[in-house]
Amino acid sequence: MESSRSRRSSRRHSLLRTAAVTLSLATVAALAGCASADTTTQSSSARPTFKPGTQKDGSQITVWADSTRLPSVQAYQKSHPDVKMKIVTYDGGADGSTYLQSKVQLFDRTGSGWPDVVFGTPTDVTWASEATKPGAQPFAAPLDDKLVPQSTLDGFAKGSLTPCQFNGHTYCMRNDIAQVLLWYNKSLMDKWGYKVPTTWQEYEALGKQVAKEHTGYLVGSVGDTNSHESYFWSGQCPAFSLVKPDTLRTDLQDPKCTRMAKLLDNLISAKAIATQGFFSQGFAKNSGGKVLMAYGPSWYGQYLFKAGFKTPAKQIAAVSPLTWQGESTTATGNVGGGVWMVSSHSANLKASTGLVTWLTTSDENQATAPTYPAYTQAAKAWLANPANKDYFANDVSGPFEQAANEVWTGWSNTKFSDSTAWSSIVLPALTSGKSLTDTLPAWQQEIAGEAKTQGYKVVGQ
C-alpha cells in the first residue's frame, strides 16, 4: 500500500497502519506511487555529470529509513555483519514531509552530512535527481551508471521504475507498488447471482442494479484523498502528464477524463458509490459490511477489508483491472509505493548499492514485506507467502501480477502531490452535492496553479 504521485499521488508516504476503523488513507497512500511520463528525453549533454567521490571500502554507511522499513534494514545488518551501518529512523517523506529535502539542502551548503542510503517517496526523486545549486551534483546517484546491473533494473515490473527516471538516468529502486484492481465480496456476489464485471460499462450497470435490488450496498467510494488515483489514473485521464521535464499537461476535459467523471456521477446519483471515504471516521462501523465491490490498490485486501472492515476470511476476491468496452488496451492506476535512493556523495557506493539491491529485490526480505514488491521475482516470493494470500476467496496471484505490469505511466511523478487539489477542491464539492463533471474545471485550475508555483509550464489540450 504505500502508496503515485502515486505517482504522485501525493507522494506522501505511507506507514501502513494495520488500521482499525480509523485507518487513514492519507497515511496508507502517502507514498503514492508515481510514474513519470516522457521525462527522459533530455539530451545527454544536458544530463548532470556523476562524479563519485573517493571510495573507502569497508567504511560505515548511514541509512535513513522510516519505521515500517526499519526491521528490513536491521535484518540486513544482522545478516551482513561485515557491513558497517548507522541506522537513523525518520518519517521517510510521509504525508508530504520535506524533511529530507531540507536536510540535503543544508548538507549541500555545508559540504558534508549526507546519508548514504535513504527511503523516500517518488516525489523525493524529483528534486533528488537535480542539483540544488550550480556546480553541485544531484543528491541521488544514477544507479544505472555502473552501480546496479541493467539486468537487475530490467527485473522490475513494467513501468514501476518510471518514477525513478529523469534526464536519461535511473535514480532510485522501487520498494513496492500498489497496482489498482477490482475487489469484490465473492460470497455476496455468488449469493445474489451477480457476474463479476470485466468492463467499466458492466461495472456501472451492475452498480445501478445493486442500488435497486440491495439498497445501501456499495460498489466503490470516491471520498478518500487518493480515490482519483484508482479511478482517473486507471482511466488514463491526463490530469498529471509531463510532456517534457518542465511542462505539465493537465486536461480534465479530455474524453478519458469526462467519461470517467460521468460514470462515477451516475453511480453516485444511484447511491452505489459513496462520497464518504472508505477510511473516513465511522465508515467501517456503519458501512464496511455493505461494500460489495471496491476499485482500489493491491493493499485493499489486507488493510481495508481484513484490518479495517473486519471482513471474515474467504469472502473477498480480486480480479484484473477493468477495460472500456471496445478498447483492447488495459491500464490501471497506482496508490502508493516507496523508493530507495543511494547518495551520490557516498564514500562506499558498493555497500550502499548492495543494501538497496537486497532491500528491493531479495526474496529473503520481500517475501514478508507488508506490501506488493515492485521487483518481479520478489513479488512471486511474496505471493507464495501464505500470509499474503490465504485470506482471500480466490488466488490473487494472477490479477496482482497482471495489474503490476499495466500501471499507466502517463500519470506523472511531479514535484507536488496529486492529492492536494483533489482533497481541497473535489472532495468538498462532492460533499456539497456538486457533480464530478461540474467540478472538473475547478480541479484542473487548482492543479495548474500548483504546477506553476513549482516552476512548471502548464498546457491544456
Side-chain angles (χ1 to χ4, degrees), residues 269-322:
S269 296
K271 299 187 184 305
I273 278 186
T275 55
Q276 181 186 12
F278 283 147
F279 295 90
S280 60
Q281 186 173 7
F283 186 93
K285 178 180 179 181
N286 299 324
S287 303
K290 291 189 174 182
V291 176
L292 180 65
M293 291 190 290
Y295 207 67
S298 51
W299 47 262
Y300 260 15
Q302 298 282 2
Y303 294 94
L304 179 66
F305 288 101
K306 184 178 180 180
F309 296 164
K310 309 297 183 185
T311 308
K314 303 302 181 181
Q315 290 190 15
I316 302 302
V319 291
S320 302
L322 300 173

Side-chain angles (χ1 to χ4, degrees), residues 109-439:
R109 290 195 296 271
T110 60
S112 64
W114 302 281
D116 297 86
V117 173
V118 296
F119 179 81
T121 71
T123 298
D124 290 322
V125 189
T126 63
W127 59 261
S129 60
E130 298 178 344
T132 58
K133 65 177 182 179
Q137 65 182 13
F139 167 73
L143 300 178
D144 59 327
D145 191 350
K146 303 176 182 178
L147 295 179
V148 177
Q150 189 60 45
S151 58
T152 299
L153 298 177
D154 290 342
F156 286 81
K158 181 181 178 182
S160 64
L161 289 185
T162 304
C164 298
Q165 296 167 341
F166 292 89
N167 299 325
H169 282 297
T170 301
Y171 290 92
C172 66
M173 293 174 76
R174 193 73 176 272
N175 181 75
D176 57 312
I177 53 178
Q179 67 278 37
V180 173
L181 15 72
L182 179 65
W183 293 95
Y184 66 99
N185 188 312
K186 187 176 186 302
S187 298
L188 288 179
M189 292 283 281
D190 291 346
K191 178 181 178 180
W192 295 338
Y194 291 150
K195 179 182 177 182
V196 179
T198 59
T199 68
W200 285 106
Q201 288 87 345
E202 292 174 353
Y203 174 75
E204 179 181 2
L206 180 56
K208 292 177 179 178
Q209 183 178 358
V210 170
K212 291 180 180 179
E213 298 176 353
H214 301 281
T215 303
Y217 280 82
L218 302 167
V219 298
S221 164
V222 292
D224 286 309
T225 58
N226 291 82
S227 298
H228 58 306
E229 293 181 337
S230 290
Y231 287 105
F232 286 91
W233 188 344
S234 296
Q236 302 179 67
C237 167
F240 298 88
S241 291
L242 288 173
V243 294
K244 294 180 180 179
D246 65 347
T247 304
L248 180 72
R249 179 191 176 208
T250 177
D251 180 13
L252 295 179
Q253 292 305 313
D254 183 279
K256 291 185 177 179
C257 303
T258 56
R259 69 179 179 182
M260 181 59 76
K262 182 178 179 181
L263 179 149
L264 293 172
D265 280 337
N266 290 341
L267 291 174
I268 291 170
S269 296
K271 299 187 184 305
I273 278 186
T275 55
Q276 181 186 12
F278 283 147
F279 295 90
S280 60
Q281 186 173 7
F283 186 93
K285 178 180 179 181
N286 299 324
S287 303
K290 291 189 174 182
V291 176
L292 180 65
M293 291 190 290
Y295 207 67
S298 51
W299 47 262
Y300 260 15
Q302 298 282 2
Y303 294 94
L304 179 66
F305 288 101
K306 184 178 180 180
F309 296 164
K310 309 297 183 185
T311 308
K314 303 302 181 181
Q315 290 190 15
I316 302 302
V319 291
S320 302
L322 300 173
T323 60
W324 291 93
Q325 187 175 329
E327 296 184 5
S328 58
T329 301
T330 301
T332 194
N334 180 79
V335 189
V339 302
W340 288 99
M341 293 181 285
V342 172
S343 171
S344 63
H345 306 284
S346 176
N348 194 344
L349 288 167
K350 180 180 179 180
S352 297
T353 55
L355 168 62
V356 169
T357 300
W358 184 87
L359 289 169
T360 57
T361 70
S362 72
D363 291 356
E364 181 182 355
N365 178 53
Q366 291 286 40
T368 57
T371 47
Y372 190 87
Y375 194 69
T376 301
Q377 287 303 315
K380 291 183 181 299
W382 188 89
L383 288 166
N385 184 347
N388 295 323
K389 63 180 184 180
D390 283 1
Y391 167 75
F392 304 112
N394 72 327
D395 184 353
V396 299
S397 299
F400 273 39
E401 291 179 317
Q402 178 181 332
N405 288 298
E406 294 177 336
V407 176
W408 184 52
T409 57
W411 188 287
S412 301
N413 184 30
T414 65
K415 297 177 181 179
F416 62 99
S417 166
D418 71 349
S419 291
T420 307
W422 175 264
S423 298
S424 63
I425 300 298
V426 181
L427 295 186
L430 293 176
T431 300
S432 68
K434 293 186 66 175
S435 70
L436 269 169
T437 300
D438 289 342
T439 309

